Amino acid sequence: MEMELIFSVQSLLLLPLIVLSCYYYFSLHHKQNGIDHGFKIYPILGSLPDFLRNWHRFLDWTTEILQWCPTSTAVSHRPGNVHGVITANPLNVEYALKTNFENYPNGERYISILNDFLGHGIFTSDGDLWKIQRKTTSYEFSTKSLRNLIMDSVRLEISTRLIPVLNQASETNQVLL
């Protein structure tokens, strides 16, 4: 009985030491030559504490992270062995979206989350279905149709917003800044 008590007390004293060692190991492992290289990774929790701390400024925070990374690409780790990759490197974006697109499917999880909102369109499809969606959509976004859409939008804005403001200003001799 006394031996079990000593063992449990030693275990309780050893646990914080192990947790502290892991924290310092991962913190030092995260920094190389005093320069940050991506998201800080905590034992068990991964990048989650920093995500929660910066949720209100997510875009600014991830932009800062990517500026610190030599390759402009960072990997985040979340509990449950979930990883995410964020990149601002044009070569990586081109590789994933153009050169080797087939190797980067949306995946079932992404599709199931957005399916109710976006349906089975170009943003929630993979493989052959995506190619069919892309060909169908490409006709809608041809140069001529985009030019017509822009011209219609500009005409509408000029006639309903700009001209009335200019007319009112000229009638009242108001100077517009």
Side-chain angles (χ1 to χ4, degrees), residues 2-164:
E2 189 176 310
M3 197 65 166
E4 291 174 9
L5 182 62
I6 291 173
F7 179 72
S8 61
V9 169
Q10 286 175 340
S11 299
L12 287 175
L13 292 175
L14 190 58
L15 184 64
L17 184 63
I18 291 171
V19 170
L20 197 57
S21 324
C22 287
Y23 174 77
Y24 282 114
Y25 169 77
F26 283 106
S27 293
L28 294 175
H29 180 70
H30 172 71
K31 292 186 179 216
Q32 298 171 354
N33 302 328
I35 300 172
D36 282 333
H37 291 289
F39 297 101
K40 188 170 187 178
I41 302 166
Y42 299 92
I44 302 170
L45 299 175
S47 307
L48 186 61
D50 286 342
F51 271 91
L52 294 175
R53 197 176 5 250
N54 292 288
W55 71 271
H56 64 283
R57 54 182 228 82
F58 182 75
L59 294 177
D60 292 330
W61 174 62
T62 52
T63 300
E64 291 167 7
I65 294 285
L66 292 173
Q67 286 174 340
W68 297 332
C69 296
T71 61
S72 297
T73 301
V75 178
S76 67
H77 300 269
R78 293 175 291 189
N81 203 23
V82 177
H83 305 302
V85 178
I86 299 176
T87 188
N89 185 328
L91 296 175
N92 291 344
V93 172
E94 180 180 359
Y95 181 79
L97 295 180
K98 183 179 176 187
T99 310
N100 209 0
F101 183 77
E102 288 79 21
N103 284 348
Y104 298 93
N106 290 324
E108 289 301 319
R109 183 170 177 250
Y110 173 83
I111 291 171
S112 69
I113 291 170
L114 292 177
N115 196 29
D116 288 340
F117 180 61
L118 297 175
H120 296 287
I122 192 167
F123 298 110
T124 56
S125 59
D126 284 325
D128 291 335
L129 179 59
W130 177 83
K131 287 180 183 176
I132 292 167
Q133 295 282 351
R134 183 176 174 267
K135 286 186 185 229
T136 304
T137 307
S138 69
Y139 297 117
E140 293 300 319
F141 291 107
S142 69
T143 305
K144 184 178 179 185
S145 65
L146 276 178
R147 187 178 334 116
N148 290 339
L149 175 68
I150 290 170
M151 288 303 295
D152 291 344
S153 298
V154 169
R155 275 192 204 108
L156 181 67
E157 290 294 314
I158 289 172
S159 64
T160 61
R161 297 181 75 184
L162 180 61
I163 291 178

